[in-house]
Amino acid sequence: ILFCFVYTIQVIFRQKKVGEMKTDFINNMTHEFKTPIATISLAADSIISPKISAEPEKVRRFADIIKQENKRMNNQVEKVLQMALLDKNDFTLNLIDVDMHMLIEQATRNLTLAVEKKNGRVSTHLKAEKSVIKGDMTHISNVINNLMENANKYSPEKPEISIHTRNVVNGIEVIVQDKGIGMSKEAKKHIFDKFYRVHTGNLHDVKGFGLGLSYVKAMMVAHKGEIEVKSELGKGSSFILTFPFQTEL
Ligand code: ADP
């Protein structure tokens, strides 16, 4: 009887947690789509207004805004679809030669503007002599971008992000380090779970679906690599990735 009781309580708690995660996800999703939809609507209204439509320069600016917001929504949908694909194990890796240093430099360029806006900086220390591995370019690029975006997202003031690489036995190690909010031991245990997000008090303070790291983990497993996280609350986090040179499927 005692066993049944403990088991039932456990199941109830788990269900409750899943329920809460679902609600959070829906709230986040609604929020993430509401903003671009509102922006697009405003921009379209402006273009329609006769005052603006007479000035090609302004029309162009609003059209750019529409395009940008559309891209943002597309990225969000893409993220959710990627996860659905992983769930069904319905993906194949397109293995080619991937230069990690090139991907890191590209991701750094993508992020620099956003980081500089917060008066922070991104630095690279690319020490690996052999930087080419066999992997899926798109997925590896997403992995690096996701980690770097998180490093920025979870550094509220002056982000200091650094990326290190070095060669290890039969592969390459990539470290994405930040000096942001860090994580508790409890959070560290769950960050790779789907939909998991650390509650920061205000749910919409930092945007996200809680899908990024579970995707990163799934991709590291698919590439026969490893991922480890070191983090201390208030001090920052480091994500340590190890990619083998060859991924045998
Ligand atoms: P999202 O960022 O969309 O919430 P992720 O799966 O990328 O989802 O991350 C899960 C959670 O892990 C985040 O909500 C955040 O609480 C925590 N986290 C991830 N990266 C970092 C980081 N660099 N520093 C502190 N916390 C992080």
Side-chain angles (χ1 to χ4, degrees):
I1 288 171
L2 190 66
F3 172 77
C4 284
F5 180 70
V6 171
Y7 180 72
T8 316
I9 293 287
Q10 261 183 0
V11 171
I12 292 173
F13 268 103
R14 213 176 302 147
Q15 291 294 347
K16 192 168 165 266
K17 212 163 173 198
V18 172
E20 279 170 6
M21 279 177 168
K22 260 193 193 154
T23 319
D24 278 359
F25 175 70
I26 292 169
N27 283 344
N28 278 330
M29 184 107 168
T30 323
H31 178 82
E32 298 245 338
F33 281 113
K34 254 186 165 167
T35 320
I37 287 172
T39 317
I40 289 178
S41 167
L42 274 177
D45 282 346
S46 309
I47 292 179
I48 293 169
S49 95
K51 227 167 115 191
I52 302 277
S53 56
E55 293 181 57
E57 194 48 43
K58 283 193 177 157
V59 171
R60 201 195 172 85
R61 220 181 69 217
F62 285 114
D64 270 348
I65 294 178
I66 293 181
K67 185 85 201 144
Q68 258 172 34
E69 292 298 301
N70 183 271
K71 198 169 145 201
R72 210 169 85 180
M73 280 203 285
N74 200 20
N75 285 344
Q76 306 290 13
V77 172
E78 203 56 45
K79 264 191 196 160
V80 179
L81 288 182
Q82 265 171 8
M83 267 337 279
L85 217 67
L86 289 184
D87 261 358
K88 286 194 288 170
N89 255 337
D90 194 11
F91 68 98
T92 39
L93 296 182
N94 176 21
L95 296 183
I96 54 165
D97 280 345
V98 175
D99 184 349
M100 289 301 294
H101 287 176
M102 195 202 74
L103 286 190
I104 291 170
E105 267 155 14
Q106 214 168 38
T108 307
R109 274 198 298 278
N110 289 346
L111 195 71
T112 302
L113 200 70
V115 171
E116 280 176 355
K117 257 192 198 160
K118 286 158 79 181
N119 290 324
R121 67 188 199 105
V122 190
S123 60
T124 49
H125 310 267
L126 309 180
K127 301 266 166 64
E129 281 175 10
K130 286 200 223 159
S131 63
V132 177
I133 62 159
K134 275 262 181 289
D136 187 302
M137 177 88 89
T138 316
H139 288 306
I140 296 184
S141 160
N142 287 341
V143 164
I144 303 289
N145 276 302
N146 273 348
L147 292 179
M148 287 179 64
E149 273 165 23
N150 277 353
N152 179 36
K153 262 179 12 182
Y154 300 106
S155 302
E157 288 154 27
K158 281 196 179 180
E160 267 184 56
I161 303 166
S162 54
I163 299 100
H164 303 252
T165 67
R166 67 183 179 114
N167 280 122
V168 289
V169 186
N170 288 328
I172 177 166
E173 183 184 79
V174 180
I175 304 180
V176 180
Q177 192 176 39
D178 67 65
K179 299 206 170 130
I181 57 172
M183 292 168 238
S184 65
K185 264 196 188 145
E186 188 55 28
K188 254 195 302 192
K189 277 192 226 158
H190 299 290
I191 49 169
F192 296 111
D193 294 349
K194 219 182 329 166
F195 300 131
Y196 178 83
R197 305 198 72 212
V198 176
H199 281 266
T200 46
N202 177 3
L203 190 67
H204 302 311
D205 213 17
V206 179
K207 291 174 188 167
F209 293 146
L211 290 177
L213 287 182
S214 53
Y215 168 79
V216 167
K217 172 90 185 188
M219 279 306 138
M220 290 311 291
V221 171
H223 280 87
K224 308 275 189 290
E226 274 164 32
I227 180 160
E228 195 195 329
V229 54
K230 287 190 182 148
S231 184
E232 216 177 309
L233 212 53
K235 296 228 165 114
S237 317
S238 299
F239 285 84
I240 304 155
L241 313 171
T242 323
F243 291 93
F245 286 128
Q246 295 287 338
T247 305
E248 285 146 30
L249 294 177

